[in-house]
mmCIF file of all heavy atoms in Angstrom:
data_model
loop_
_atom_site.group_PDB
_atom_site.id
_atom_site.type_symbol
_atom_site.label_atom_id
_atom_site.label_comp_id
_atom_site.label_asym_id
_atom_site.label_seq_id
_atom_site.Cartn_x
_atom_site.Cartn_y
_atom_site.Cartn_z
ATOM 1 N N THR U 1 114.224 112.423 47.693
ATOM 2 C CA THR U 1 114.530 113.726 48.268
ATOM 3 C C THR U 1 113.315 114.550 48.660
ATOM 4 O O THR U 1 113.301 115.170 49.705
ATOM 5 C CB THR U 1 115.380 114.548 47.280
ATOM 6 O OG1 THR U 1 116.503 113.754 46.897
ATOM 7 C CG2 THR U 1 115.886 115.815 47.908
ATOM 8 N N TYR U 2 112.281 114.585 47.815
ATOM 9 C CA TYR U 2 111.221 115.568 48.016
ATOM 10 C C TYR U 2 109.803 115.046 48.220
ATOM 11 O O TYR U 2 108.877 115.815 48.033
ATOM 12 C CB TYR U 2 111.197 116.533 46.827
ATOM 13 C CG TYR U 2 112.468 117.317 46.708
ATOM 14 C CD1 TYR U 2 113.355 117.056 45.680
ATOM 15 C CD2 TYR U 2 112.771 118.307 47.625
ATOM 16 C CE1 TYR U 2 114.529 117.780 45.565
ATOM 17 C CE2 TYR U 2 113.940 119.037 47.514
ATOM 18 C CZ TYR U 2 114.816 118.764 46.484
ATOM 19 O OH TYR U 2 115.975 119.467 46.374
ATOM 20 N N PRO U 3 109.564 113.808 48.586
ATOM 21 C CA PRO U 3 108.157 113.408 48.715
ATOM 22 C C PRO U 3 107.496 114.048 49.942
ATOM 23 O O PRO U 3 108.084 114.105 51.012
ATOM 24 C CB PRO U 3 108.212 111.894 48.856
ATOM 25 C CG PRO U 3 109.545 111.624 49.446
ATOM 26 C CD PRO U 3 110.457 112.686 48.883
ATOM 27 N N ASN U 4 106.287 114.536 49.732
ATOM 28 C CA ASN U 4 105.467 115.032 50.837
ATOM 29 C C ASN U 4 104.514 113.947 51.321
ATOM 30 O O ASN U 4 104.106 113.952 52.465
ATOM 31 C CB ASN U 4 104.657 116.256 50.399
ATOM 32 C CG ASN U 4 105.542 117.441 50.130
ATOM 33 O OD1 ASN U 4 106.340 117.810 50.974
ATOM 34 N ND2 ASN U 4 105.413 118.017 48.962
ATOM 35 N N THR U 5 104.145 113.044 50.405
ATOM 36 C CA THR U 5 103.230 111.950 50.718
ATOM 37 C C THR U 5 103.785 110.667 50.143
ATOM 38 O O THR U 5 104.251 110.639 49.005
ATOM 39 C CB THR U 5 101.839 112.222 50.110
ATOM 40 O OG1 THR U 5 101.343 113.469 50.603
ATOM 41 C CG2 THR U 5 100.860 111.117 50.449
ATOM 42 N N LEU U 6 103.751 109.594 50.944
ATOM 43 C CA LEU U 6 104.149 108.263 50.488
ATOM 44 C C LEU U 6 103.003 107.314 50.781
ATOM 45 O O LEU U 6 102.596 107.143 51.925
ATOM 46 C CB LEU U 6 105.418 107.800 51.201
ATOM 47 C CG LEU U 6 105.898 106.387 50.889
ATOM 48 C CD1 LEU U 6 106.214 106.221 49.394
ATOM 49 C CD2 LEU U 6 107.119 106.043 51.727
ATOM 50 N N LYS U 7 102.449 106.719 49.719
ATOM 51 C CA LYS U 7 101.315 105.803 49.860
ATOM 52 C C LYS U 7 101.755 104.398 49.459
ATOM 53 O O LYS U 7 102.037 104.139 48.298
ATOM 54 C CB LYS U 7 100.159 106.282 48.988
ATOM 55 C CG LYS U 7 99.633 107.659 49.398
ATOM 56 C CD LYS U 7 98.513 108.113 48.516
ATOM 57 C CE LYS U 7 97.252 107.457 49.015
ATOM 58 N NZ LYS U 7 96.054 107.938 48.319
ATOM 59 N N LEU U 8 101.820 103.507 50.451
ATOM 60 C CA LEU U 8 102.165 102.107 50.233
ATOM 61 C C LEU U 8 101.014 101.198 50.658
ATOM 62 O O LEU U 8 101.191 99.997 50.812
ATOM 63 C CB LEU U 8 103.426 101.747 51.033
ATOM 64 C CG LEU U 8 104.681 102.548 50.681
ATOM 65 C CD1 LEU U 8 105.794 102.235 51.663
ATOM 66 C CD2 LEU U 8 105.108 102.252 49.259
ATOM 67 N N ASP U 9 99.850 101.764 50.842
ATOM 68 C CA ASP U 9 98.710 101.022 51.365
ATOM 69 C C ASP U 9 98.117 100.060 50.331
ATOM 70 O O ASP U 9 98.330 100.203 49.135
ATOM 71 C CB ASP U 9 97.630 101.984 51.884
ATOM 72 C CG ASP U 9 97.255 103.072 50.914
ATOM 73 O OD1 ASP U 9 98.156 103.673 50.307
ATOM 74 O OD2 ASP U 9 96.045 103.335 50.765
ATOM 75 N N ASP U 10 97.428 99.076 50.850
ATOM 76 C CA ASP U 10 96.695 98.095 50.051
ATOM 77 C C ASP U 10 97.581 97.333 49.069
ATOM 78 O O ASP U 10 97.310 97.264 47.868
ATOM 79 C CB ASP U 10 95.516 98.765 49.325
ATOM 80 C CG ASP U 10 94.489 99.269 50.317
ATOM 81 O OD1 ASP U 10 93.790 98.425 50.906
ATOM 82 O OD2 ASP U 10 94.414 100.494 50.529
ATOM 83 N N ASN U 11 98.650 96.770 49.599
ATOM 84 C CA ASN U 11 99.524 95.858 48.873
ATOM 85 C C ASN U 11 99.635 94.587 49.704
ATOM 86 O O ASN U 11 98.773 94.317 50.534
ATOM 87 C CB ASN U 11 100.896 96.509 48.645
ATOM 88 C CG ASN U 11 100.870 97.540 47.545
ATOM 89 O OD1 ASN U 11 100.660 97.223 46.395
ATOM 90 N ND2 ASN U 11 101.074 98.810 47.908
ATOM 91 N N MET U 12 100.675 93.817 49.511
ATOM 92 C CA MET U 12 100.940 92.625 50.308
ATOM 93 C C MET U 12 102.355 92.701 50.864
ATOM 94 O O MET U 12 103.078 91.717 50.905
ATOM 95 C CB MET U 12 100.745 91.373 49.445
ATOM 96 C CG MET U 12 99.310 91.183 49.000
ATOM 97 S SD MET U 12 99.069 89.753 47.931
ATOM 98 C CE MET U 12 99.601 90.407 46.360
ATOM 99 N N LEU U 13 102.764 93.902 51.285
ATOM 100 C CA LEU U 13 104.107 94.121 51.801
ATOM 101 C C LEU U 13 104.255 93.470 53.163
ATOM 102 O O LEU U 13 103.310 93.417 53.949
ATOM 103 C CB LEU U 13 104.383 95.623 51.876
ATOM 104 C CG LEU U 13 104.356 96.349 50.532
ATOM 105 C CD1 LEU U 13 104.357 97.858 50.740
ATOM 106 C CD2 LEU U 13 105.521 95.907 49.664
ATOM 107 N N SER U 14 105.456 92.976 53.460
ATOM 108 C CA SER U 14 105.713 92.298 54.727
ATOM 109 C C SER U 14 107.051 92.766 55.293
ATOM 110 O O SER U 14 107.792 93.496 54.661
ATOM 111 C CB SER U 14 105.705 90.785 54.525
ATOM 112 O OG SER U 14 106.705 90.422 53.592
ATOM 113 N N GLY U 15 107.344 92.303 56.503
ATOM 114 C CA GLY U 15 108.583 92.693 57.163
ATOM 115 C C GLY U 15 108.418 94.004 57.896
ATOM 116 O O GLY U 15 107.313 94.512 58.071
ATOM 117 N N ASP U 16 109.551 94.555 58.331
ATOM 118 C CA ASP U 16 109.482 95.808 59.070
ATOM 119 C C ASP U 16 109.532 97.000 58.117
ATOM 120 O O ASP U 16 109.806 96.864 56.936
ATOM 121 C CB ASP U 16 110.589 95.896 60.121
ATOM 122 C CG ASP U 16 111.985 95.836 59.512
ATOM 123 O OD1 ASP U 16 112.136 95.406 58.355
ATOM 124 O OD2 ASP U 16 112.930 96.234 60.205
ATOM 125 N N ILE U 17 109.237 98.156 58.665
ATOM 126 C CA ILE U 17 109.298 99.401 57.901
ATOM 127 C C ILE U 17 110.731 99.899 58.005
ATOM 128 O O ILE U 17 111.227 100.113 59.111
ATOM 129 C CB ILE U 17 108.302 100.430 58.460
ATOM 130 C CG1 ILE U 17 106.872 99.880 58.352
ATOM 131 C CG2 ILE U 17 108.437 101.758 57.736
ATOM 132 C CD1 ILE U 17 105.841 100.674 59.114
ATOM 133 N N PRO U 18 111.426 100.070 56.894
ATOM 134 C CA PRO U 18 112.849 100.443 56.952
ATOM 135 C C PRO U 18 113.087 101.744 57.719
ATOM 136 O O PRO U 18 112.360 102.721 57.549
ATOM 137 C CB PRO U 18 113.238 100.614 55.483
ATOM 138 C CG PRO U 18 112.214 99.875 54.708
ATOM 139 C CD PRO U 18 110.955 99.934 55.524
ATOM 140 N N GLN U 19 114.115 101.731 58.546
ATOM 141 C CA GLN U 19 114.479 102.917 59.314
ATOM 142 C C GLN U 19 114.817 104.094 58.405
ATOM 143 O O GLN U 19 114.641 105.246 58.773
ATOM 144 C CB GLN U 19 115.659 102.603 60.242
ATOM 145 C CG GLN U 19 115.339 101.574 61.318
ATOM 146 C CD GLN U 19 114.232 102.048 62.235
ATOM 147 O OE1 GLN U 19 114.260 103.156 62.752
ATOM 148 N NE2 GLN U 19 113.219 101.201 62.438
ATOM 149 N N GLN U 20 115.259 103.828 57.191
ATOM 150 C CA GLN U 20 115.621 104.877 56.241
ATOM 151 C C GLN U 20 114.429 105.777 55.894
ATOM 152 O O GLN U 20 114.615 106.928 55.526
ATOM 153 C CB GLN U 20 116.199 104.274 54.954
ATOM 154 C CG GLN U 20 117.551 103.640 55.135
ATOM 155 C CD GLN U 20 117.486 102.196 55.626
ATOM 156 O OE1 GLN U 20 116.470 101.728 56.142
ATOM 157 N NE2 GLN U 20 118.580 101.477 55.473
ATOM 158 N N LEU U 21 113.199 105.262 56.011
ATOM 159 C CA LEU U 21 112.029 106.086 55.725
ATOM 160 C C LEU U 21 111.885 107.219 56.742
ATOM 161 O O LEU U 21 111.268 108.232 56.463
ATOM 162 C CB LEU U 21 110.758 105.249 55.670
ATOM 163 C CG LEU U 21 110.674 104.238 54.533
ATOM 164 C CD1 LEU U 21 109.298 103.584 54.508
ATOM 165 C CD2 LEU U 21 110.982 104.856 53.187
ATOM 166 N N GLY U 22 112.474 107.051 57.902
ATOM 167 C CA GLY U 22 112.483 108.111 58.903
ATOM 168 C C GLY U 22 113.348 109.289 58.496
ATOM 169 O O GLY U 22 113.307 110.350 59.121
ATOM 170 N N GLN U 23 114.139 109.135 57.449
ATOM 171 C CA GLN U 23 115.008 110.208 56.955
ATOM 172 C C GLN U 23 114.330 111.070 55.895
ATOM 173 O O GLN U 23 114.947 111.989 55.348
ATOM 174 C CB GLN U 23 116.292 109.612 56.389
ATOM 175 C CG GLN U 23 117.095 108.860 57.414
ATOM 176 C CD GLN U 23 118.239 108.087 56.791
ATOM 177 O OE1 GLN U 23 118.571 108.260 55.629
ATOM 178 N NE2 GLN U 23 118.839 107.221 57.583
ATOM 179 N N LEU U 24 113.088 110.794 55.583
ATOM 180 C CA LEU U 24 112.350 111.593 54.604
ATOM 181 C C LEU U 24 111.954 112.908 55.269
ATOM 182 O O LEU U 24 110.892 113.020 55.873
ATOM 183 C CB LEU U 24 111.127 110.826 54.099
ATOM 184 C CG LEU U 24 111.410 109.539 53.343
ATOM 185 C CD1 LEU U 24 110.117 108.767 53.084
ATOM 186 C CD2 LEU U 24 112.120 109.839 52.026
ATOM 187 N N SER U 25 112.804 113.897 55.153
ATOM 188 C CA SER U 25 112.643 115.129 55.925
ATOM 189 C C SER U 25 111.434 115.965 55.527
ATOM 190 O O SER U 25 110.936 116.748 56.325
ATOM 191 C CB SER U 25 113.907 115.975 55.814
ATOM 192 O OG SER U 25 114.138 116.339 54.469
ATOM 193 N N ARG U 26 110.930 115.823 54.311
ATOM 194 C CA ARG U 26 109.786 116.623 53.865
ATOM 195 C C ARG U 26 108.457 115.878 53.956
ATOM 196 O O ARG U 26 107.415 116.437 53.643
ATOM 197 C CB ARG U 26 109.995 117.068 52.421
ATOM 198 C CG ARG U 26 111.159 118.004 52.283
ATOM 199 C CD ARG U 26 111.367 118.352 50.827
ATOM 200 N NE ARG U 26 112.498 119.226 50.678
ATOM 201 C CZ ARG U 26 112.429 120.439 50.181
ATOM 202 N NH1 ARG U 26 111.284 120.925 49.776
ATOM 203 N NH2 ARG U 26 113.512 121.173 50.072
ATOM 204 N N ILE U 27 108.483 114.629 54.394
ATOM 205 C CA ILE U 27 107.271 113.808 54.409
ATOM 206 C C ILE U 27 106.260 114.383 55.406
ATOM 207 O O ILE U 27 106.625 114.811 56.494
ATOM 208 C CB ILE U 27 107.598 112.331 54.717
ATOM 209 C CG1 ILE U 27 106.485 111.410 54.261
ATOM 210 C CG2 ILE U 27 107.927 112.097 56.179
ATOM 211 C CD1 ILE U 27 106.482 111.145 52.811
ATOM 212 N N ARG U 28 104.993 114.438 54.993
ATOM 213 C CA ARG U 28 103.919 114.930 55.860
ATOM 214 C C ARG U 28 102.836 113.885 56.064
ATOM 215 O O ARG U 28 102.158 113.892 57.080
ATOM 216 C CB ARG U 28 103.290 116.203 55.270
ATOM 217 C CG ARG U 28 104.256 117.364 55.183
ATOM 218 C CD ARG U 28 104.729 117.807 56.574
ATOM 219 N NE ARG U 28 105.793 118.783 56.489
ATOM 220 C CZ ARG U 28 107.085 118.518 56.694
ATOM 221 N NH1 ARG U 28 107.486 117.311 57.013
ATOM 222 N NH2 ARG U 28 107.993 119.466 56.605
ATOM 223 N N LYS U 29 102.663 112.992 55.088
ATOM 224 C CA LYS U 29 101.661 111.926 55.199
ATOM 225 C C LYS U 29 102.281 110.654 54.664
ATOM 226 O O LYS U 29 102.930 110.648 53.623
ATOM 227 C CB LYS U 29 100.414 112.260 54.377
ATOM 228 C CG LYS U 29 99.687 113.496 54.837
ATOM 229 C CD LYS U 29 98.502 113.792 53.954
ATOM 230 C CE LYS U 29 97.829 115.081 54.391
ATOM 231 N NZ LYS U 29 96.722 115.432 53.492
ATOM 232 N N ILE U 30 102.041 109.545 55.396
ATOM 233 C CA ILE U 30 102.581 108.257 54.976
ATOM 234 C C ILE U 30 101.561 107.175 55.326
ATOM 235 O O ILE U 30 101.001 107.164 56.420
ATOM 236 C CB ILE U 30 103.971 108.016 55.602
ATOM 237 C CG1 ILE U 30 104.676 106.845 54.965
ATOM 238 C CG2 ILE U 30 103.915 107.918 57.091
ATOM 239 C CD1 ILE U 30 106.167 106.812 55.229
ATOM 240 N N TYR U 31 101.280 106.319 54.366
ATOM 241 C CA TYR U 31 100.210 105.327 54.499
ATOM 242 C C TYR U 31 100.777 103.921 54.329
ATOM 243 O O TYR U 31 101.352 103.595 53.291
ATOM 244 C CB TYR U 31 99.133 105.573 53.432
ATOM 245 C CG TYR U 31 98.516 106.943 53.522
ATOM 246 C CD1 TYR U 31 99.039 108.013 52.817
ATOM 247 C CD2 TYR U 31 97.409 107.154 54.339
ATOM 248 C CE1 TYR U 31 98.472 109.273 52.913
ATOM 249 C CE2 TYR U 31 96.839 108.413 54.444
ATOM 250 C CZ TYR U 31 97.382 109.472 53.722
ATOM 251 O OH TYR U 31 96.822 110.726 53.823
ATOM 252 N N PHE U 32 100.589 103.076 55.355
ATOM 253 C CA PHE U 32 101.017 101.683 55.339
ATOM 254 C C PHE U 32 99.846 100.720 55.466
ATOM 255 O O PHE U 32 100.042 99.520 55.597
ATOM 256 C CB PHE U 32 101.967 101.408 56.513
ATOM 257 C CG PHE U 32 103.222 102.229 56.513
ATOM 258 C CD1 PHE U 32 103.415 103.215 57.455
ATOM 259 C CD2 PHE U 32 104.218 101.986 55.584
ATOM 260 C CE1 PHE U 32 104.575 103.965 57.472
ATOM 261 C CE2 PHE U 32 105.378 102.730 55.593
ATOM 262 C CZ PHE U 32 105.563 103.722 56.537
ATOM 263 N N ALA U 33 98.632 101.194 55.436
ATOM 264 C CA ALA U 33 97.439 100.388 55.736
ATOM 265 C C ALA U 33 97.307 99.180 54.816
ATOM 266 O O ALA U 33 97.720 99.198 53.662
ATOM 267 C CB ALA U 33 96.187 101.246 55.622
ATOM 268 N N ASN U 34 96.712 98.134 55.373
ATOM 269 C CA ASN U 34 96.329 96.934 54.622
ATOM 270 C C ASN U 34 97.507 96.234 53.957
ATOM 271 O O ASN U 34 97.520 95.981 52.755
ATOM 272 C CB ASN U 34 95.236 97.280 53.591
ATOM 273 C CG ASN U 34 94.035 97.905 54.240
ATOM 274 O OD1 ASN U 34 93.537 97.415 55.245
ATOM 275 N ND2 ASN U 34 93.583 99.015 53.708
ATOM 276 N N ASN U 35 98.506 95.927 54.771
ATOM 277 C CA ASN U 35 99.658 95.129 54.372
ATOM 278 C C ASN U 35 99.899 94.087 55.450
ATOM 279 O O ASN U 35 99.005 93.802 56.249
ATOM 280 C CB ASN U 35 100.886 96.041 54.198
ATOM 281 C CG ASN U 35 100.845 96.831 52.908
ATOM 282 O OD1 ASN U 35 100.984 96.271 51.829
ATOM 283 N ND2 ASN U 35 100.649 98.141 53.014
#
């Protein structure tokens, strides 16, 4: 409900970025680097 920042960087994540993340209405910064 309330994240302002989501950091998923520097993992081994694969696949697409879920469309549901676009529903994070309060998000201001989001990091997907190095996956």
Side-chain angles (χ1 to χ4, degrees):
T1 307
Y2 297 109
N4 292 307
T5 303
L6 176 60
K7 298 179 82 174
L8 300 172
D9 50 316
D10 295 288
N11 284 294
M12 295 178 279
L13 298 168
S14 60
D16 61 342
I17 299 168
Q19 295 299 310
Q20 291 85 342
L21 294 186
Q23 298 171 11
L24 297 171
S25 62
R26 295 177 181 241
I27 200 78
R28 297 296 172 257
K29 297 178 183 176
I30 192 163
Y31 301 91
F32 300 110
N34 303 313
N35 284 290

